[in-house]
Amino acid sequence: MEKTRPLWATPLQFVFACISYAVGLGNVWRFPYLCQMYGGGSFLVPYIIMLVVEGMPLLYLELAVGQRMRQGSIGAWRTVSPYLSGVGVASVVVSFFLCMYYNVVNAWAFWYLFHSFQDPLPWSVCPLNGNRTGYIEECEKASSTQYFWYRKTLNISPSIQESGAVQWEPALCLILAWLVVYLCILRGTESTGRVVYFTALLPYCVLIIYLVRGLTLHGATNGLAYMFTPKGSPMLSPLAFQMEQLANPKAWINAATQIFFSLGLGFGSLIAFASYNEPSNNCQKHAIIVSIINSSTSIFASIVTFSIYGFKATFNYESCLNKVILLLTNSFDLEDGFLTANNLEQVKDYLASAYPSKYSEVFPQIKNCSLETELETAVQGTGLAFIVYTEAIKNMEVSQLWSVLYFFMLLLLGIGSMLGNTAAILTPLTDSKVISSYLPKEAISGLVCLANCAIGMLFTMEAGSYWFDIFNDYAATLSLLLIVLAETVAVCYLYGLSRFESDLKAMTGRALNWYWKAMWGGVSPLLIISLFIFYLSDYISTGTLRYQAWDAAQGQLVTKDYPPHALAVIGLLVAASTMCIPLGALGTLITRRLKRGDTAPVA
Amino acid sequence: MTWMDPREVFLRNLHPAFYSTCNNLHCTWDSFECIGLHGQDAENAFKVRLSIRTALGDKAYAWDANEEYLFKAMVAFSMRKVPNRETTEISHVLLCNVTQRVSFWFVVTDPSRNHTLPAVEVQSAIRMNRNRINNAFFLNDQTLEFLRIPSTLAPPTDPSVPIWIIIFGVIFCIVLVATMLLIISGIRQHRRKNKGPSEMEDSEDKCENVITIENGIPCDPLDMKGGHINDAFVTEDERLTPL
């Protein structure tokens, strides 16, 4: 008696699983950065165009393939064509790399979450130095939030060569993070299906709360105005700057890249999720819904982020002004409260004319405070999530509550994505008859989690953050483009578009719209090829690859070159997954030739 | 070149801090006397800076002679706590050069009013009683500054066990227990499933023994588990024909 494939209890679970997988940390910490870099409001134009032209078709393709083949990525692509088993293996390898480093972010989120239950928040004050006369020097030079991130959380080493020891605190948090993930995927779709209700819906609750709080913060409107009308160069008016950005090819490329990676295409997670669907499920509708929700969440999250930016920038600007006012008040013994932000310039001019020699002594210490420079600090990635946001949170009232809410949301987003990442690895493993006959699915999941946790300890070492950046930048980018290109070409040309169309019609009962056929057959592969060429040329033209290292003495980031062994690891990462595709085809070719040789008729 | 009083020139060169006090506020003979008193002991004078409006906003009080009297009293009080200086009187504390800021210089003299007390003693006395001096004026270390007297920064309250470990332990235990429960219930379900099909197979074997075979084709076995009433032919209602 054959074991029936486990199914989602309701189609809603499937939609929520896709949403919680696609809506991840990238929506929160990458999209606002791109918005800021490429013209604010005008970035939405290439973004939406790419969504319709690239995101929706490719998402529908993956869901349709998974639902039709009813197997994980390895089995699905093997069914499409035996020469394509390498594509499935490449997906699994990339997902494995992703699992290794992605959960470290959840570990950091747990660390911050546990530290949010203190008064005052540990990243809001600098710790005192040995003899209690002042603050620790590194903290003075940088800021308290940067100090807490680089020294207390990561204990970062000055360069990637100095690995240091495994830090036990992040290691404990990593173990907890993997335990939570294991708990969620333990029973397969049964447990995952219930968890995704939380991981898909709760982040929106927190985002709405943050939206209301963010918009009511002092100075939030500065940030929002900046998002929609960035200043750009002083020559151009904001509107002209935005128009100019539309013509910038980098904006379009980054929009395409963001859509591509934000939806999580090519990892095999979507295929895995769709394989647990009823065959008659309307995956076209779901593909459209999921992609629209993913993009709207990005835009929504960036509104929240920009209001927080505005608050932080305004707060820092006013602190800077207050420092200047204090300096002048003390140097010239002016009446306390006489100098305000409004009359600062006039009084400065008066003092410069009345007491020129004294003023020239004080002048070097007077900083030029500017709201624009504060707003222009564009940050993305872990820096945005753990430094910029925490800096804004520490200045809010009841900061513990906001901190707990924020890191809880980060955790939900991260774990939601991890569910998809692990499903991409586990579904092919549990599908394989060989492995599932020996081990029950709980044991397979446990072994995968254990292996990833053990390797993930590398990221908790002192140089772990540098390795994290390597994995984040190089493990998935090029390989995914190749994988998705292979997928699209395979379905359209190897399997046959008309054959796939009739399969879908038989499965769901709906005919395939001409739009999807046009996108799958022509536009999307061309887009992916151009993205691929752009990335390759970018890598080649940059020459040596560089990274940002934290210099404790100066209290800021410095750029360094990667050492040879790091470059070798980067090469291995890219090669390990991309080589699977040709090797898989080659392997099948060889085994077929051997079989044909064996069964050759005896003369 | 404007003519400057030679005493003023001498004092300015002696202590650079006097430059600021004598620069925009014309130094009178009174203040010179004050300065002259500690002109030799320029190091024993300390500058004090108050930011009353920053601290209290609308509730700020004006700095007048009474407040100065209170300040002198607090300094004298601090000095009386130092061994050998219990006889310090309010009149021994001298204030001068009060500016609009509000800032001024003060110095403490000995009972003979000829010498000033050494800076180290004054420093330690003020540091010991800093909190009470601050509270007397509703200010804190940042708004009532004694230049050249660093304040001891309050040490952070370190609990014996860091709070984050407690919360981590709680959540870790909850997740571990939940995982164990799920695994154990999964193993139990597995065992039940393994027992179940084997029981089914036994009863099917018994049934098969009674299958009658005619012409090599097995007749449909009678359902041995008890008769099923074929609802198509017999219903309770139709036993009795309706009237």
Side-chain angles (χ1 to χ4, degrees):
Chain A
M1 205 170 66
E2 217 189 282
K3 218 164 54 163
T4 50
R5 192 173 182 77
L7 294 174
W8 297 109
T10 62
L12 195 62
Q13 279 187 358
F14 165 65
V15 176
F16 278 165
C18 289
I19 291 177
S20 76
Y21 167 66
V23 173
L25 297 166
N27 300 61
V28 172
W29 75 25
R30 175 102 178 127
F31 182 77
Y33 168 77
L34 288 176
C35 233
Q36 194 176 358
M37 294 297 288
Y38 295 111
S42 68
F43 182 71
L44 291 178
V45 172
Y47 188 70
I48 292 178
I49 291 180
M50 285 299 161
L51 170 68
V52 172
V53 163
E54 181 199 3
M56 283 190 206
L58 291 175
L59 181 62
Y60 182 29
L61 180 70
E62 287 221 357
L63 292 183
V65 167
Q67 194 170 303
R68 165 73 185 83
M69 305 301 169
R70 311 202 78 214
Q71 293 180 76
S73 53
I74 298 185
W77 295 112
R78 204 182 313 146
T79 317
V80 167
S81 160
Y83 294 102
L84 286 181
S85 52
V87 175
V89 175
S91 290
V92 172
V93 169
V94 174
S95 290
F96 192 70
F97 290 150
L98 185 71
C99 279
M100 268 196 266
Y101 80 82
Y102 201 86
N103 222 12
V104 179
V105 183
N106 288 335
W108 291 331
F110 267 122
W111 167 265
Y112 269 82
L113 179 66
F114 297 148
H115 277 89
S116 306
F117 290 96
Q118 291 173 359
D119 182 33
L121 288 173
W123 54 83
S124 58
V125 286
C126 272
L128 301 176
N129 62 10
N131 51 4
R132 295 217 201 125
T133 50
Y135 300 115
I136 292 186
E137 204 186 311
E138 190 182 350
C139 196
E140 290 259 345
K141 293 241 176 82
S143 66
S144 52
T145 45
Q146 283 180 313
Y147 177 77
F148 188 76
W149 169 243
Y150 286 112
R151 190 52 49 214
K152 288 296 175 79
T153 311
L154 301 175
N155 197 14
I156 205 164
S157 62
S159 73
I160 199 170
Q161 285 98 321
E162 300 154 50
S163 316
V166 171
Q167 309 294 309
W168 65 270
E169 297 105 334
L172 277 183
C173 293
L174 183 64
I175 295 177
L176 175 63
W178 274 110
L179 206 57
V180 170
V181 169
Y182 180 53
L183 176 64
C184 297
I185 60 173
L186 189 50
R187 288 283 191 80
T189 48
E190 203 186 307
S191 52
T192 311
R194 295 207 200 110
V195 170
V196 292
Y197 283 115
F198 294 106
T199 55
L201 290 175
L202 276 181
Y204 287 102
C205 295
V206 178
L207 270 177
I208 291 177
I209 297 175
Y210 253 93
L211 182 71
V212 175
R213 172 76 268 216
L215 289 177
T216 53
L217 283 172
H218 167 62
T221 38
N222 292 336
L224 284 177
Y226 186 76
M227 171 184 167
F228 288 107
T229 53
K231 296 294 177 286
S233 75
M235 296 298 152
L236 298 167
S237 73
L239 195 62
F241 177 69
Q242 290 188 34
M243 288 298 125
E244 190 191 77
Q245 282 302 321
L246 270 183
N248 181 3
K250 277 213 154 179
W252 292 86
I253 289 172
N254 273 300
T257 317
Q258 175 62 13
I259 290 276
F260 191 85
F261 292 119
S262 174
L263 285 173
L265 303 164
F267 287 102
S269 316
L270 295 163
I271 297 182
F273 281 154
S275 70
Y276 297 119
N277 267 342
E278 298 270 353
S280 55
N281 186 39
N282 183 3
C283 54
Q284 176 184 278
K285 182 174 77 166
H286 291 152
I288 298 179
I289 292 176
V290 169
S291 48
I292 289 182
I293 290 183
N294 182 47
S295 297
S296 333
T297 311
S298 290
I299 300 174
F300 184 46
S302 67
I303 295 181
V304 175
T305 304
F306 272 97
S307 42
I308 305 267
Y309 266 160
F311 166 70
K312 172 182 106 65
T314 310
F315 189 87
N316 286 345
Y317 170 65
E318 285 175 0
S319 304
C320 176
L321 276 182
N322 284 336
K323 282 202 194 119
V324 173
I325 289 175
L326 191 65
L327 176 69
L328 287 175
T329 311
N330 285 344
S331 310
F332 291 95
D333 278 325
L334 304 166
E335 190 186 332
D336 181 32
F338 170 65
L339 259 185
T340 61
N342 298 334
N343 59 11
L344 183 61
E345 291 301 317
Q346 298 163 299
V347 174
K348 269 163 75 174
D349 293 333
Y350 163 70
L351 289 172
S353 55
Y355 312 102
S357 46
K358 185 77 192 292
Y359 189 78
S360 56
E361 272 176 32
V362 179
F363 187 69
Q365 299 171 42
I366 299 180
K367 278 196 219 159
N368 232 351
C369 298
S370 153
L371 189 58
E372 272 76 39
T373 30
E374 294 285 342
L375 281 171
E376 265 161 27
T377 47
V379 194
Q380 58 161 335
T382 49
L384 170 59
F386 294 107
I387 299 179
V388 172
Y389 256 93
T390 47
E391 198 178 317
I393 287 174
K394 80 177 202 280
N395 297 323
M396 295 185 194
E397 281 121 46
V398 202
S399 39
Q400 282 80 11
L401 170 68
W402 300 110
S403 180
V404 167
L405 269 181
Y406 171 66
F407 288 110
F408 184 59
M409 177 187 76
L410 277 194
L411 267 176
L412 286 173
L413 291 174
I415 293 194
S417 300
M418 281 304 292
L419 295 179
N421 296 335
T422 45
I425 303 178
L426 287 174
T427 311
L429 287 180
T430 46
D431 283 346
S432 134
K433 310 260 185 322
V434 172
I435 300 179
S436 56
S437 58
Y438 281 122
L439 294 169
K441 120 180 109 184
E442 288 91 344
I444 302 178
S445 322
L447 282 175
V448 169
C449 290
L450 196 64
N452 275 310
C453 188
I455 302 178
M457 289 294 160
L458 289 172
F459 299 108
T460 58
M461 296 197 300
E462 286 180 25
S465 168
Y466 301 129
W467 289 106
F468 175 86
D469 286 331
I470 285 186
F471 272 72
N472 194 20
D473 290 335
Y474 302 109
T477 38
L478 271 181
S479 342
L480 277 185
L481 288 171
L482 261 184
I483 291 174
V484 175
L485 181 64
E487 289 181 359
T488 328
V489 165
V491 168
C492 291
Y493 301 110
L494 275 179
Y495 190 75
L497 195 51
S498 45
R499 189 170 153 204
F500 194 59
E501 188 184 349
S502 54
D503 279 349
L504 284 183
K505 182 138 187 216
M507 200 169 64
T508 62
R510 284 179 202 85
L512 195 62
N513 199 336
W514 63 267
Y515 177 72
W516 304 117
K517 285 191 270 190
M519 291 298 127
W520 290 347
V523 181
S524 299
L526 284 175
L527 256 177
I528 300 175
I529 292 177
S530 48
L531 274 182
F532 189 71
I533 293 176
F534 162 75
Y535 266 102
L536 264 186
S537 55
D538 202 44
Y539 282 155
I540 294 172
S541 62
T542 324
T544 43
L545 298 169
R546 296 171 149 206
Y547 69 106
Q548 303 276 80
W550 177 255
D551 187 342
Q554 290 182 45
Q556 60 181 35
L557 292 166
V558 292
T559 319
K560 291 192 179 171
D561 287 336
Y562 276 126
H565 68 270
L567 291 174
V569 169
I570 296 178
L572 260 179
L573 277 178
V574 178
S577 42
T578 46
M579 284 301 123
C580 288
I581 305 179
L583 283 179
L586 204 63
T588 320
L589 195 67
I590 294 177
T591 37
R592 280 207 164 172
R593 284 269 171 84
L594 286 176
K595 268 198 202 156
R596 226 176 285 158
D598 280 343
T599 56
V602 179
Chain B
M1 180 161 156
T2 52
W3 179 84
M4 272 200 275
D5 191 296
R7 271 188 291 184
E8 191 176 328
V9 175
F10 166 73
L11 288 165
R12 276 196 201 176
N13 294 338
L14 185 69
H15 196 319
F18 286 124
Y19 186 86
S20 69
T21 61
C22 295
N23 198 12
N24 42 355
L25 296 166
H26 202 71
C27 291
T28 61
W29 287 109
D30 297 353
S31 41
F32 269 160
E33 200 163 72
C34 164
I35 297 169
L37 194 65
H38 55 165
Q40 310 292 329
D41 331 65
E43 295 87 41
N44 293 343
F46 292 95
K47 183 166 182 182
V48 180
R49 202 151 55 197
L50 287 93
S51 312
I52 308 175
R53 194 158 301 166
T54 313
L56 301 170
D58 290 334
K59 302 195 193 116
Y61 49 82
W63 186 260
D64 52 16
N66 298 329
E67 305 284 345
E68 287 181 23
Y69 190 83
L70 177 61
F71 183 80
K72 290 188 201 174
M74 295 304 296
V75 174
F77 162 75
S78 310
M79 290 312 300
R80 286 170 91 116
K81 295 229 160 156
V82 176
N84 289 339
R85 298 287 175 205
E86 286 91 348
T87 51
T88 314
E89 298 292 332
I90 292 182
S91 50
H92 297 155
V93 182
L94 300 169
L95 266 61
C96 49
N97 275 339
V98 184
T99 64
Q100 268 184 320
R101 173 66 182 78
V102 173
S103 69
F104 48 84
W105 291 81
F106 80 92
V107 73
V108 189
T109 61
D110 65 356
S112 65
R113 295 186 117 226
N114 281 333
H115 308 289
T116 54
L117 296 186
V120 184
E121 280 189 35
V122 179
Q123 254 183 2
S124 66
I126 301 280
R127 283 185 87 171
M128 299 284 207
N129 300 290
R130 188 65 187 270
N131 210 23
R132 298 191 69 171
I133 303 178
N134 286 349
N135 284 338
F137 293 97
F138 303 126
L139 300 171
N140 60 27
D141 281 353
Q142 280 78 42
T143 40
L144 171 55
E145 294 170 83
F146 287 83
L147 301 187
R148 281 171 41 224
I149 305 184
S151 48
T152 322
L153 295 166
T157 44
D158 272 334
S160 52
V161 179
I163 299 182
W164 78 270
I165 290 195
I166 301 176
I167 305 176
F168 168 80
V170 166
I171 299 197
F172 191 81
C173 289
I174 294 178
V175 173
L176 199 62
V177 166
T179 313
M180 290 294 151
L181 282 177
L182 271 185
I183 294 181
I184 294 176
S185 67
I187 294 179
R188 276 208 201 131
Q189 257 184 14
H190 212 63
R191 278 198 204 136
R192 228 177 281 150
K193 263 194 220 158
N194 284 342
K195 273 193 208 155
S198 57
E199 283 174 358
M200 283 276 293
E201 282 165 15
D202 286 341
S203 55
E204 272 176 17
D205 282 337
K206 283 193 196 141
C207 285
E208 279 186 7
N209 292 337
V210 205
I211 288 178
T212 50
I213 298 182
E214 283 183 4
N215 295 338
I217 304 166
C219 298
D220 286 329
L222 290 170
D223 196 345
M224 305 304 274
K225 290 192 182 132
H228 279 269
I229 299 173
N230 193 336
D231 288 337
F233 293 104
V234 177
T235 50
E236 281 288 309
D237 295 334
E238 281 179 2
R239 282 245 199 95
L240 303 167
T241 49
L243 287 165

